[in-house]
Amino acid sequence: MSSGLGRTSFTKWNFFMTILGIFSFLFDIGVDLWISIKYFQQELYLFGLLTILFALVSTVIVQAFSYSWFRDDCVEDSRRSMKHVITHLFLAGTLLRYWYAVKYGYQATYDHRRRNREETKQKAVYAMTDLSMLRCFKIYLESTPQLILQLYILMEHGQITVIQYLSILVSVFSISWSTVDYQVSLRKSLPGKKGISVGFPLLFYTFYKFFTLTSWIVSVVFLISCSVYMFAGLVTVLGVAGFCWAWKQDTDFCTTKRMEILYRVVVGIILIFTFFNVKGSKTRVPVSIYYSLRFLNTSGMIILCFYLRPAFARTFIFAVLSIATVSSLGLGIFSLILYYACFHPTLHCIGQTKEDTVDGITHEDQSRINKFIMP
């Protein structure tokens, strides 16, 4: 990986968050197993299998990318390469990356006698950023589909308690915050990029992701409750459209053609749920089109419920969720506009190029993160 970061910052807070990330990763695995067991105990075998399938598919894809990055970074070290092969075959590549992040993070923050501390900080930042990219994959390949499945099950197969509502909201916020965390890590690792300031900039960016994701997830659950086939058709169309858009952008994130195709497929899936800047270019027009279509899709799903599920459409819960869905989308788009109009880092940073004004990047630095999707 390129090392042209210039002066790099890796703080004790970053180290603490890395440690916390390990526990969060292990906790997530435990929750997946617990939920799957609960579904099987309730004789909801299909839902249990789907939960496991989402987790397994996302894990395999994450391992594939993780190993390919290790292979790119360690082309001259055959012994280390073999260790990486074995680790990833046992689906433990993410844990290995956490080990490296903790190792370099500790050396960068606590080992003050170490030489080349700036280089060690760069390694720690790169390790943290790689983990952020892998978490981004996991969020949209596993966590978001599982949340949609959970919402559907609660709506169709049982009463939804206040605690369950709170749990779902926490899950949505967690997904949104993970996306924001990736954005923060992204800007930290890129040379010459000013990070998102704590306060209103971070708050409105979080609001943007939280409200737009909440609106879309509830809308999708409405559609599933109306027709699984319509849901499958919509997801297929949106996924293919996202894949074609990534292909048209001629992404060059991976070093091999097969991994690049897989990357474009994953990007297509991610674009089903939220907007990302696929190749660091100006996105004012694409993001406007994206959320215009999102508004039409959301409205259409709510209208479908009136025609296909009239009994449900007359319930109080449907009225509340419909209003909340439309309001959330409006608040999310408003937060997005406000963030770019008033709080984007480049508005107060003279030294950056105009490409970055819409979360684009320049092409001077060719490190891996420079070619990844950008929130």
Side-chain angles (χ1 to χ4, degrees):
M1 186 179 291
S2 171
S3 59
L5 274 176
R7 189 164 183 81
T8 309
S9 171
F10 188 90
T11 64
K12 291 181 179 180
W13 174 254
N14 297 136
F15 179 72
F16 170 76
M17 293 303 293
T18 302
I19 297 294
L20 187 63
I22 298 175
F23 289 102
S24 175
F25 173 74
L26 296 175
F27 177 76
D28 187 52
I29 294 175
V31 169
D32 287 342
L33 292 174
W34 179 77
I35 291 176
S36 300
I37 291 171
K38 283 293 183 181
Y39 286 155
F40 284 120
Q41 289 176 343
Q42 297 170 10
E43 298 184 353
L44 299 173
Y45 302 115
L46 176 60
F47 300 139
L49 289 173
L50 284 174
T51 300
I52 295 173
L53 180 64
F54 290 142
L56 186 60
V57 170
S58 70
T59 299
V60 170
I61 291 175
V62 165
Q63 301 303 308
F65 280 104
S66 177
Y67 171 70
S68 70
W69 298 348
F70 272 129
R71 185 189 58 198
D72 294 340
D73 297 341
C74 306
V75 290
E76 298 178 357
D77 192 338
S78 58
R79 288 182 300 176
R80 180 176 291 186
S81 179
M82 182 54 63
K83 178 181 71 174
H84 294 158
V85 170
I86 295 172
T87 304
H88 287 81
L89 283 176
F90 284 95
L91 306 181
T94 304
L95 284 175
L96 180 62
R97 286 192 172 274
Y98 270 115
W99 158 249
Y100 281 125
V102 170
K103 173 186 173 183
Y104 294 134
Y106 176 81
Q107 292 173 352
T109 53
Y110 291 100
D111 190 356
H112 300 293
R113 294 175 298 178
R114 186 176 184 82
R115 297 179 180 178
N116 301 323
R117 288 193 66 207
E118 198 60 37
E119 181 180 348
T120 303
K121 286 183 180 180
Q122 289 179 5
K123 290 180 179 179
V125 169
Y126 276 135
M128 182 179 66
T129 305
D130 280 349
L131 282 169
S132 294
M133 289 190 286
L134 293 176
R135 278 199 301 268
C136 186
F137 285 148
K138 185 177 177 63
I139 288 166
Y140 293 105
L141 294 175
E142 177 185 341
S143 301
T144 306
Q146 285 181 347
L147 177 60
I148 291 172
L149 180 64
Q150 181 186 5
L151 268 170
Y152 171 73
I153 293 170
L154 290 174
M155 287 182 64
E156 295 295 316
H157 297 273
Q159 298 295 322
I160 305 178
T161 65
V162 174
I163 294 177
Q164 287 172 321
Y165 272 125
L166 292 175
S167 174
I168 290 167
L169 285 174
V170 169
S171 296
V172 176
F173 183 80
S174 176
I175 293 169
S176 306
W177 177 251
S178 296
T179 307
V180 174
D181 175 65
Y182 162 66
Q183 165 77 324
V184 172
S185 298
L186 171 76
R187 300 194 70 87
K188 176 185 282 289
S189 66
L190 290 174
K193 302 297 180 186
K194 184 179 178 182
I196 299 178
S197 302
V198 176
F200 285 115
L202 190 61
L203 182 67
F204 278 103
Y205 191 84
T206 305
F207 281 169
Y208 151 53
K209 287 298 182 182
F210 174 75
F211 285 122
T212 54
L213 275 169
T214 300
S215 171
W216 183 241
I217 288 172
V218 176
S219 300
V220 167
V221 174
F222 279 160
L223 183 61
I224 298 174
S225 67
C226 290
S227 172
V228 174
Y229 298 109
M230 287 185 179
F231 163 74
L234 178 66
V235 167
T236 301
V237 170
L238 294 178
V240 170
F243 172 78
C244 292
W245 174 248
W247 196 288
K248 183 179 182 298
Q249 293 293 296
D250 194 25
T251 59
D252 56 351
F253 176 68
C254 301
T255 56
T256 65
K257 187 174 182 179
R258 284 180 296 182
M259 289 303 299
E260 190 65 38
I261 292 174
L262 178 60
Y263 172 70
R264 291 172 182 177
V265 170
V266 173
V267 169
I269 295 173
I270 292 174
L271 288 175
I272 293 173
F273 301 107
T274 190
F275 180 82
F276 273 82
N277 189 345
V278 174
K279 201 181 176 183
S281 57
K282 292 186 176 182
T283 57
R284 190 170 286 110
V285 173
V287 76
S288 299
I289 295 173
Y290 183 90
Y291 282 109
S292 296
L293 292 174
R294 172 66 60 85
F295 174 77
L296 293 176
N297 283 325
T298 300
S299 303
M301 292 175 192
I302 294 174
I303 293 171
L304 271 176
C305 279
F306 279 103
Y307 288 98
L308 299 181
R309 297 197 63 187
F312 176 60
R314 288 191 292 268
T315 62
F316 176 73
I317 186 65
F318 176 78
V320 171
L321 289 177
S322 298
I323 295 171
T325 299
V326 176
S327 301
S328 292
L329 181 58
L331 285 171
I333 294 174
F334 174 74
S335 299
L336 170 65
I337 295 171
L338 198 61
Y339 169 75
Y340 279 113
C342 304
F343 301 115
H344 194 275
T346 54
L347 293 174
H348 311 287
C349 189
I350 300 175
Q352 293 187 29
T353 65
K354 290 186 178 180
E355 286 185 38
D356 193 43
T357 58
V358 282
D359 274 352
I361 56 176
T362 63
H363 299 282
E364 296 174 1
D365 189 299
Q366 295 301 314
S367 60
R368 177 160 54 239
I369 187 65
N370 267 15
K371 301 176 183 179
F372 196 62
I373 52 176
M374 307 184 75

